[in-house]
Amino acid sequence: MSREDPHDLLAMVFARPREALAAARALLADGRGPYESSIARQALGILHREFGDLEAAIGELRHAVRLARRSGSADRETDVLATLGIALLQSGRTRAGLSALDQAATRADGTTRARVLFRRAGARWILGRHGPALDDLRDAVPALLGARDTVWAARALTLRGHVQLALGAVQAADADFRTAQDMLGPTRQEHDSAVAVQNRGVAAFRTGDLPAALALLDEAERSFHSLGTPMFDLVGDRCAVLLAAGLARDALEHADGGLRLLARLRGQATRRAELLLIAARAALQSGDPVTAGERAGEARRLFARQHRAWWSEHARLIVLQAEHATPDVPARRTALGEARRLAARLAGLGSPEVWQAHLVAGRIALALGEPGVAERHLTRAADVRYKGPATSRAGGWLAEALRAEAAGEPRRLLHACRAGLALIEEHRLTFGSSELHALATAQGAELVTLAQRHLLREGRPRRLLAWTERWRATSLAVPAVSPPEDGELLARLAALRQAEHLLAQARQDGAASAAALERDRSRLESRVRSATLHAKGRSRGGGERRDRDDDRTGRLLDALGGGRLAELVAVDGTLHVLLCGDGTVRRHTAGPMDRAVAEVEFARSRLRRLAYERDPDQGELHDLGAQLERAVLGPVAGLLGEEGPLVVVPPSTLHTTPWGLLPSLRRRPFTVAPSAGAWLRARSAPRPDGGRIVLVRGPGVAHADREVREIAGLYAQVDGDMPWDVSLLEAGRSTAPAVLAAIDGSLLAHLAAHGTFRADSPLFSSLHLDDGPLTGYDLERLRRAPHHLVLSSCDSGQMAAVGADELLGLATALLRLGTAGIVASVVPVNDETAVPVMLGLHDGLRRGLGLAEALCRARGDDVSFIAIGAG
């Protein structure tokens, strides 16, 4: 800081906050006069306001005002008064804050007045008073540009961009953000430059480019972290992007983390209210309406005390949405009146979310049996289907579908559902991440349910199958994005394996370092996942054929020949089975879905115990399987036939069913597929040239050495003309890079390694190798998937149900890449008894049997393993 110009201290506050803090304290220690001391106190106040204790900030700024007044400089006093006004407003003292800003605007002139008007515009934006904010900026922006006050002009343009965004003018906002970034480039204002990157992320989000938005927000966060400046509006921006990407639980955790940090720093009350509102949105989207209502209610009370009508009405919207979404809470007639008034108020405020108020009003009116009122509101909500981002337009089509259902117009209903799903599909194709592909389907779940409900009433099982398939395991149908040669991601994956390896050793030894290593692992996992979320997808090729519903079903029935496919469908709490075969599709009712889920969990818990018994009671297993079969298949168990392929396609929530336990399946070949379409694709997967087989022995698996050596011995026996090329990776050689290189493009890979299923983050499910875990993220980097894969460890076939009806886990990572079939377990495995099953399986495979047939002949009394994909 120049001694000749103490104003340099204020320029330093955002650019180099740590230096500014030291310089301000040094200036005060020097015993300077009231003018310079006022600048130092103002700098400390800004630092406290933005990055620390808001009450301390107000105290410093009040002191700065008194010093400025003593200095006799009206210009100095009005500048500090405007800074104090913002701090008062952010503490929730809205009237006092606006009064200070109004006084400063009245008394200031020249460039100082333009800066004051910019601050008052910021206050009005915080309050949701967008028209008056633009009025102030119309005066401030040209004045600051004319004065060549580059940094403040860029800040004013940035603020104007945010006001434009609030009013839905995305292109105008993006233009302001880009101009501001260009202006800040030559300056030393690192903080403002980071804010410019953050704003570009917000603009990318509003234009629908979520991978770019996440990448830009991550870049901004790294800059703020290096500056030591926590930015709570960045938390809000990131949460909004995460919600749009379907990562609602991540958004809720992120918002709660911001709230905890804000409370620790005794930060801005205005920020607290905003973060509570974001947390409420996240809770609602993640299926927790009770928490959503509580958070939104608290936010609304804070907004009301802060006189922030715009924000208060948006919080009220979430309160109403949460109340309507809460199970077993009947619709209130008073809630309909509240929703109607809310829609009018949001329209008056110019909110782009007014359609959501009309949608909830329409829903409430339908629940109350008032179709006329519902029609009026749903019509208004449906207007958004032709404008705005894809997710909003899809919401408009949902409103149109609800209108059509209420009016009894099935053709219009199905058209609206089809159009809404097409928009969401277009939105999903912008993602390169398989996780985002799967999660984004949740936005279309209600559209699919509306169509399924109608087709169920109409008795149209063939079309019901087609509509179920339209939105089941769709992430597997999107071609995998070829992984770039990303050295940074590879390094992070390697570091994660090392951290996991060290953590396992520390836990085994009872070392005190385990807690620190646990934090390191979590940090590395976050970085790996973040990098994959940035990947961009590719649009659907113009030449790709989109089959009609009848064409898809016809191809499926042709492929089955004399076999059967049982597709399980849950609609409004009832589980149905669509039995396909002999050129027809027939529907049967299995029973309540909650009963099926309960029976699956009971069977799994019993099998976890029985897995450790040498000779489990076969009578108990039969009774357990019969009880489970009645719940998940009902009468279909006796209609599965005895010849041809048998494919079971459960909803994602029933995929962990131990299917081999069911009496009708124990002694016959069958496969389990995420969808009928996934089975068709796996069935036609090209078989690689040659007979390369890879056998991997992981660490710490009892009997694994015997398992892989005896399997290798089987393939050493030459039966016929097939020359088997066997690679054996034993202890010390089974590292992740070696295994990935070996299995890439192989005919068959067998991994005898312990596995871990991660329900909290399914793509971090892993197989334990010599150098640490091999995760789903590692497998996604394969250029060519192994044609067939055998995983002989516990729970290796488990996948998490996400999105509308999607699955994520180790198996899905490979199926998406083109693996035709996988043998894995969905329950714990007895390592000793698994060995003969694996030997029998490979004996059948080397003799030319398919996966399902070979597993059936090898299984004996084992019920742990299933064939996934095509048999």
Side-chain angles (χ1 to χ4, degrees), residues 410-422:
R411 289 175 63 87
R412 196 170 120 220
L413 165 66
L414 294 179
H415 170 72
C417 293
R418 192 177 293 112
L421 292 178

Side-chain angles (χ1 to χ4, degrees), residues 304-354:
R305 287 202 293 270
Q306 296 163 9
H307 305 283
R308 301 171 70 184
W310 167 281
W311 296 88
S312 180
E313 299 301 345
H314 285 80
R316 179 58 183 151
L317 172 61
I318 295 180
V319 169
L320 282 173
Q321 289 172 324
E323 180 180 315
H324 183 73
T326 302
D328 303 323
V329 175
R332 295 183 294 111
R333 192 161 296 279
T334 53
L336 177 57
E338 291 170 16
R340 296 169 70 176
R341 290 189 294 273
L342 176 63
R345 288 195 296 269
L346 288 175
L349 290 167
S351 168
E353 295 183 14
V354 63

Side-chain angles (χ1 to χ4, degrees), residues 461-462 564 577-588 636:
R462 190 173 176 123
R564 298 286 187 273
V577 183
L578 300 176
L579 186 60
C580 310
D582 296 328
T584 64
V585 180
R586 293 183 174 86
R587 183 190 65 81
H588 303 269
V636 172

Side-chain angles (χ1 to χ4, degrees), residues 607 609-610 613-626 660-661 663 666-667 833 859-863:
L607 288 175
R609 179 181 65 80
L610 293 172
E613 294 185 7
R614 183 176 294 274
D615 295 307
D617 185 334
Q618 292 301 311
E620 180 183 357
L621 284 175
H622 180 274
D623 292 345
L624 189 63
L661 183 63
R666 284 193 75 174
R667 304 302 178 195
T833 59
R859 181 184 290 127
D861 292 328
D862 179 81
V863 297

Side-chain angles (χ1 to χ4, degrees), residues 258-616:
L259 284 165
R260 288 191 295 270
L261 178 60
L262 193 67
R264 192 162 64 247
L265 296 176
R266 299 175 62 194
Q268 303 163 4
T270 51
R271 294 283 188 228
R272 173 173 172 76
E274 291 163 19
L275 286 174
L276 281 168
L277 181 61
I278 291 164
R281 285 197 181 108
L284 184 63
Q285 192 167 311
S286 62
D288 187 355
V290 174
T291 299
E294 292 170 353
R295 300 284 178 86
E298 185 180 354
R300 186 171 181 239
R301 290 188 290 274
L302 284 172
F303 288 135
R305 287 202 293 270
Q306 296 163 9
H307 305 283
R308 301 171 70 184
W310 167 281
W311 296 88
S312 180
E313 299 301 345
H314 285 80
R316 179 58 183 151
L317 172 61
I318 295 180
V319 169
L320 282 173
Q321 289 172 324
E323 180 180 315
H324 183 73
T326 302
D328 303 323
V329 175
R332 295 183 294 111
R333 192 161 296 279
T334 53
L336 177 57
E338 291 170 16
R340 296 169 70 176
R341 290 189 294 273
L342 176 63
R345 288 195 296 269
L346 288 175
L349 290 167
S351 168
E353 295 183 14
V354 63
W355 69 271
Q356 294 193 38
H358 284 297
L359 179 59
V360 74
R363 289 181 186 278
I364 295 171
L366 287 175
L368 291 171
E370 295 195 18
V373 176
E375 168 68 15
R376 289 195 296 274
H377 285 286
L378 292 174
T379 299
R380 296 290 299 277
D383 288 343
V384 79
R385 67 191 186 276
Y386 295 119
K387 58 189 175 184
T391 49
S392 295
R393 284 182 283 150
W397 282 112
L398 172 60
E400 177 67 9
L402 290 169
R403 284 181 66 206
E405 183 185 45
E409 299 182 25
R411 289 175 63 87
R412 196 170 120 220
L413 165 66
L414 294 179
H415 170 72
C417 293
R418 192 177 293 112
L421 292 178
L423 278 169
I424 298 170
E425 177 67 8
E426 176 187 328
H427 171 62
R428 292 195 316 128
L429 288 174
T430 64
F431 303 141
S433 160
S434 58
E435 181 179 7
L436 293 185
H437 272 295
L439 291 169
T441 60
Q443 298 168 1
E446 189 172 0
L447 288 165
V448 173
T449 299
L450 287 170
Q452 289 174 322
R453 184 183 296 144
H454 162 70
L455 295 168
L456 192 60
R457 284 196 302 261
E458 294 289 308
R460 308 280 295 277
R462 190 173 176 123
R463 295 199 70 189
L464 177 58
L465 172 67
W467 270 92
T468 300
E469 280 290 301
R470 184 184 289 270
W471 216 240
R472 172 169 285 183
T474 57
S475 62
L476 300 182
V478 179
V481 176
S482 298
E485 291 299 329
D486 188 340
E488 185 176 355
L489 178 56
L490 289 173
R492 287 175 179 175
L493 287 167
L496 177 59
R497 279 192 292 275
Q498 177 67 8
E500 183 71 49
H501 185 67
L502 293 173
L503 177 59
Q505 288 183 334
R507 285 172 172 168
Q508 184 176 347
D509 299 340
S513 59
L517 288 168
E518 183 86 50
R519 290 191 295 272
D520 287 344
R521 184 189 67 174
S522 297
R523 176 178 52 80
L524 287 165
E525 284 185 350
S526 177
R527 289 182 177 179
V528 167
R529 185 163 176 254
S530 177
T532 62
L533 296 180
H534 297 170
K536 291 194 176 185
R538 51 192 178 199
S539 61
R540 188 187 298 276
E544 183 175 326
R545 181 167 62 92
R546 287 174 178 264
D547 291 340
R548 294 181 307 162
D549 292 347
D550 287 344
D551 293 339
R552 283 194 296 269
T553 305
R555 286 196 297 118
L556 172 64
L557 293 171
D558 289 344
L560 284 170
R564 298 286 187 273
L565 182 143
E567 179 131 355
L568 282 63
V569 185
V571 181
D572 294 331
T574 299
L575 184 64
H576 306 270
V577 183
L578 300 176
L579 186 60
C580 310
D582 296 328
T584 64
V585 180
R586 293 183 174 86
R587 183 190 65 81
H588 303 269
T589 301
M593 181 64 177
D594 55 1
R595 177 189 166 209
V597 171
E599 291 294 346
V600 169
E601 286 307 308
F602 178 72
R604 288 177 55 80
S605 68
R606 296 294 293 163
L607 288 175
R608 277 193 286 271
R609 179 181 65 80
L610 293 172
Y612 301 102
E613 294 185 7
R614 183 176 294 274
D615 295 307

